[in-house]
Amino acid sequence: MLDSKVPAGPLAEKWSKHKFNLKLVNPANKRKYTIIVVGTGLAGSSAAASLAELGYNVKAFCYQDSPRRAHSIAAQGGINAAKNYQNDGDSVFRLFYDTIKGGDYRAREANVHRLAEVSVNIIDQCVAQGVPFAREYGGLLDNRSFGGAQVSRTFYARGQTGQQLLLGAYSALNRQINNGKVKMYNRHEMLDLVTIDGHARGIITRNMVTGAIESHEGHAVLLCTGGYGNVFFLSTNAMGCNVTAAWRAHKRGAFFGNPCYTQIHPTCIPVTGDHQSKLTLMSESLRNDGRVWVPKTVELAQKLRKGELKISDIKEADRDYYLERKYPSFGNLVPRDVASRNAKEVVDEGRGVGASGIAVFLDFEDAIKRLGEDAVRAKYGNLFDMYYQITDENPYKQPMRIYPAVHYTMGGLWVDYNLMTTVPGLYALGECNFSDHGANRLGASALMQGLADGYFVIPYTVGDYLAGLGFDPVDKNHPNFEKTRKQVEDNVHKLLSLKGSKTVDDIHKKLGHIMWEYCGMARNEAGLIKAKGLIQALKKEFWSDVTVLGENEEMNQSLEKAGRVADFLELGELMVDDALNRRESCGGHFREESQTDEGEAKRDDENFRYVAAWEYQGEDQPETLHKEALEFENVKLTQRSYK
């Protein structure tokens, strides 16, 4: 059932030849088609702007009050591109190889190579839009390093790269709104997908201000709705980030790919208590100059936690720079899954720091001595200020305390080479799909994928599908629109009828604890089986004892949260099923039963070299697993090593 549509031919020629072989839509005919874009982060804004520029009619939807509020704005450190401006040995193939290896050989070669190819165009596009990338003294664009690479290929705008890139895409989107080619629907949440004869033909939304349930028709639907990290409750994602649009599409026939692949980011401000509703990222770029360490002995760590010793009392000889010690070739810039697991390891040994003992140090003392405080401030000033505002600790005077937290999801809706899901006419872009990062995403590659999909892939591939359709507008009076709208209304009323004793946040926090404990940084069969039972019991508790306040015909955040958490409960169970099925370790999926003698992830290429694509079979029914075999013709499968 799974046809990846990867074109034949040499790897470096696949995308160019594929673009030539795709069907085209005559410029005069483009205005006869309407395309729905759900989500207006980097992938959605760039896609909507590009498609409108081509002449298509676009309807764009976001649940925020403005596309500028999309979570893409929170990305800090940078965006990768194989420009080789530093003349340090980078190339399109090296970016391809680093990404494949970083993902632990669990991504399609063709998709990843295309991503590396178009990365160079993204920088030109964004510079032309006026994105203020950092520049060297002579005026040339600057680069810095990120994890999993030995070259400097990351372009950045201080610690606000996502914000600046989104403003560029947003300005392009606004131009098309002003031209009348994009109709923008702010404060609208997609609650279902409408299919006609098996093809995506529209969506059902809820106006989050008035509560109106509305139908919107289009010839194709693009989901650009981000990831599902908030299934863990605490994550670096904005609190509004959710899986609802993707999950409702999944229940309409879109397969879900590799749901257990979640990324735990190694440099986040540690949890301080149950009062928190989210966590804060500290950019991976800080590991360019910051050194990660903990005390060498449990005794020293205990004295530090009790306040019997100051940080400055720990002598250099008593500090364990464990990443530099274990991975001399990459040092502190190992990939995120490796850095996170090592942080967990030293904390589990009892060598963690801070009052809770669940943190490690990120120390800039050496960098300040080498470069001077002003140079460090110029590079990382806004990040240091953010840390100070949250912790009341001055990172110029003492090390930051960091610990891993949920940050990104490599899993998502399964898509073919054209970014189409298993529902014809339904596409998934950016973090919403599974396609480019395998089992672990390298730092600074999320922005690259979102803009690659929106600016340089979907404008070609969606035309191939539309060229096979007639020019007739979609019939918004088709009975499937009213049928789906009625189902959404019934679900809203079902949620509003819940008048139990628990809040939605109570259930969400419990789900987060289950997911973090049993399906987080380390997983094992017994824990996953236990988690499945706990989630099933929690789902029953949700539908029997949660309370949803207010009415539909108003702004109602209780109702919004309830619908999202109901979907998270179902997704959480699928994530556990996927993690149980994948009896190997790879990237961010670490099964304790499958590790090397040195504690590294141990793959089982003979039995698990595939994409797991899950098909929904109905409420409370086990999903069906489909496998897309991964073929590697250009890289050799090896045990990852960053030593």
Side-chain angles (χ1 to χ4, degrees):
M1 294 179 65
L2 294 175
D3 179 7
S4 65
K5 294 186 173 63
V6 171
L11 182 67
E13 299 175 9
K14 287 182 186 292
W15 177 231
S16 295
K17 288 186 175 180
H18 188 64
K19 285 191 290 185
F20 178 76
N21 291 327
L22 290 171
K23 298 174 186 173
L24 300 176
V25 178
N26 181 295
N29 288 334
K30 286 188 173 77
R31 56 178 172 267
K32 299 175 183 176
Y33 294 108
T34 298
I35 299 174
I36 290 173
V37 178
V38 185
T40 52
L42 285 179
S45 286
S46 59
S50 300
L51 293 169
E53 184 81 40
L54 286 171
Y56 295 109
N57 302 303
V58 177
K59 297 179 181 178
F61 297 80
C62 70
Y63 62 75
Q64 300 93 344
D65 59 353
S66 164
R68 287 178 300 165
R69 305 260 188 222
H71 186 60
S72 300
I73 206 168
Q76 297 172 355
I79 177 171
N80 288 331
K83 285 285 197 182
N84 195 31
Y85 283 168
Q86 302 301 315
N87 198 28
D88 57 359
D90 200 11
S91 64
V92 167
F93 191 85
R94 188 176 293 280
L95 175 53
F96 155 75
Y97 176 77
D98 287 347
T99 305
I100 283 280
K101 177 185 175 183
D104 219 349
Y105 305 95
R106 289 294 176 262
R108 285 192 204 123
E109 282 191 337
N111 286 60
V112 177
H113 195 276
R114 176 175 66 188
L115 177 65
E117 281 181 67
V118 303
S119 70
V120 297
N121 300 328
I122 295 170
I123 303 304
D124 297 339
Q125 168 86 1
C126 295
V127 169
Q129 289 174 334
V131 173
F133 286 122
R135 294 179 181 268
E136 296 174 337
Y137 181 76
L140 300 176
L141 294 179
D142 196 13
N143 295 108
R144 56 189 177 198
S145 299
F146 260 62
Q150 291 181 303
V151 297
S152 294
R153 63 162 68 102
T154 305
F155 295 79
Y156 64 99
R158 212 175 183 188
Q160 308 165 3
T161 314
Q163 181 188 52
Q164 299 304 324
L165 291 173
L166 185 60
L167 289 173
Y170 173 68
S171 63
L173 175 64
N174 257 356
R175 177 170 175 268
Q176 297 305 323
I177 293 172
N178 186 61
N179 288 345
K181 294 303 293 181
V182 175
K183 184 169 176 56
M184 189 69 225
Y185 295 85
N186 298 329
R187 306 296 292 163
H188 280 68
E189 182 170 24
M190 173 182 160
L191 295 182
D192 215 333
L193 177 74
V194 180
T195 60
I196 298 175
D197 298 328
H199 289 244
R201 287 294 178 264
I203 61 173
I204 306 298
T205 64
R206 178 177 179 271
N207 183 316
M208 297 164 69
V209 178
T210 67
I213 307 299
E214 304 168 357
S215 302
H216 299 274
E217 74 284 356
H219 293 89
V221 177
L222 278 53
L223 297 186
C224 313
T225 51
Y228 48 89
N230 277 352
V231 68
F232 290 86
F233 186 71
L234 286 179
S235 80
T236 65
N237 291 178
M239 289 178 64
C241 294
N242 63 83
V243 76
T244 290
W247 190 252
R248 305 289 169 91
H250 173 56
K251 295 171 85 166
R252 292 291 179 187
F255 291 5
F256 212 103
N258 299 331
C260 78
Y261 288 170
T262 54
Q263 179 162 88
I264 316 292
H265 197 294
T267 52
C268 302
I269 297 178
V271 176
T272 57
D274 288 338
H275 62 280
Q276 284 182 275
S277 54
K278 76 176 300 293
L279 298 174
T280 303
L281 173 74
M282 286 285 103
S283 170
E284 182 168 316
S285 63
L286 294 170
R287 287 195 276 145
N288 273 271
D289 291 302
R291 301 179 70 192
V292 180
W293 67 275
V294 291
K296 280 188 175 178
T297 66
V298 174
E299 292 74 24
L300 281 173
Q302 287 175 338
K303 289 181 178 180
L304 201 58
R305 291 196 293 269
K306 292 176 182 177
E308 296 173 7
L309 287 176
K310 296 178 182 178
I311 299 171
S312 57
D313 294 333
I314 308 294
K315 298 175 183 176
E316 188 70 16
D318 293 326
R319 300 181 179 192
D320 181 13
Y321 297 93
Y322 57 89
L323 292 178
E324 297 174 28
R325 170 174 56 83
K326 294 176 71 173
Y327 309 98
S329 292
F330 283 75
N332 294 296
L333 285 173
V334 291
R336 291 173 176 177
D337 60 317
V338 177
S340 293
R341 278 197 295 275
N342 277 274
K344 181 180 186 298
E345 183 180 300
V346 296
V347 165
D348 289 349
E349 290 171 1
R351 295 195 286 146
V353 300
S356 67
I358 307 177
V360 300
F361 286 134
L362 182 63
D363 197 337
F364 291 87
E365 183 179 10
D366 285 354
I368 290 172
K369 286 179 180 176
R370 185 178 74 254
L371 303 171
E373 186 173 316
D374 288 345
V376 172
R377 193 183 304 276
K379 278 186 173 183
Y380 311 116
N382 66 309
L383 300 173
F384 278 44
D385 290 345
M386 189 191 310
Y387 181 86
Y388 176 72
Q389 293 293 333
I390 293 172
T391 65
D392 198 28
E393 297 172 5
N394 185 348
Y396 295 103
K397 303 299 180 186
Q398 67 184 80
M400 289 183 178
R401 291 174 298 105
I402 57 166
Y403 195 66
V406 175
H407 176 60
Y408 186 89
T409 51
M410 286 74 67
L413 294 180
W414 183 92
V415 293
D416 62 19
Y417 191 68
N418 293 328
L419 304 184
M420 190 187 287
T421 69
T422 47
V423 177
L426 176 68
Y427 294 80
L429 285 65
E431 191 180 355
C432 183
N433 73 34
F434 86 101
S435 72
D436 290 357
H437 306 296
N440 175 65
R441 177 176 67 76
L442 291 185
S445 288
L447 305 183
M448 175 173 63
Q449 186 206 352
L451 292 179
D453 289 353
Y455 282 137
F456 299 109
V457 179
I458 200 66
Y460 290 95
T461 60
V462 76
D464 184 67
Y465 171 73
L466 296 174
L469 303 179
F471 300 130
D472 294 337
V474 176
D475 181 10
K476 60 183 177 183
N477 295 315
H478 191 283
N480 283 15
F481 276 93
E482 180 57 28
K483 178 183 176 183
T484 309
R485 193 183 69 81
K486 182 67 165 61
Q487 290 170 344
V488 168
E489 283 186 343
D490 290 346
N491 188 54
V492 167
H493 293 146
K494 181 181 179 182
L495 289 168
L496 287 169
S497 71
L498 299 174
K499 302 299 177 188
S501 62
K502 304 284 196 314
T503 68
V504 175
D505 276 352
D506 289 337
I507 303 295
H508 197 177
K509 284 182 180 180
K510 288 182 181 179
L511 174 63
H513 282 302
I514 295 168
M515 297 301 295
W516 180 253
E517 184 68 25
Y518 302 110
C519 199
M521 273 194 283
R523 304 149 182 196
N524 60 61
E525 184 170 3
L528 290 166
I529 291 171
K530 181 178 180 181
K532 186 174 174 68
L534 290 172
I535 293 171
Q536 289 174 336
L538 189 61
K539 194 189 303 183
K540 291 179 181 176
E541 183 180 355
F542 175 89
W543 288 109
S544 63
D545 197 26
V546 84
T547 186
V548 180
L549 306 173
E551 304 295 334
N552 177 55
E553 290 72 27
E554 61 182 355
M555 183 178 286
N556 188 340
Q557 292 191 330
S558 179
L559 173 61
E560 294 163 19
K561 284 183 181 179
R564 295 167 187 172
V565 171
D567 293 332
F568 278 140
L569 286 163
E570 295 178 0
L571 168 69
E573 188 172 350
L574 181 62
M575 290 171 66
V576 168
D577 287 341
D578 190 41
L580 264 172
N581 169 75
R582 191 169 285 278
R583 296 183 302 279
E584 66 161 356
S585 293
C586 56
H589 170 63
F590 189 76
R591 283 288 295 263
E592 293 175 345
E593 305 94 330
S594 181
Q595 54 184 303
T596 67
D597 294 338
E598 297 175 321
E600 304 290 352
K602 184 179 180 181
R603 296 193 319 273
D604 179 355
D605 293 330
E606 184 177 345
N607 296 303
F608 294 99
R609 195 182 67 205
Y610 62 77
V611 176
W614 296 87
E615 180 183 9
Y616 185 74
Q617 296 294 341
E619 192 170 349
D620 295 325
Q621 298 299 312
E623 300 210 3
T624 300
L625 172 63
H626 301 271
K627 300 177 182 179
E628 180 203 337
L630 292 170
E631 304 297 334
F632 294 92
E633 301 173 351
N634 299 274
V635 296
K636 182 181 179 182
L637 291 172
T638 60
Q639 172 66 38
R640 275 195 318 169
S641 174
Y642 292 94
K643 295 184 180 297

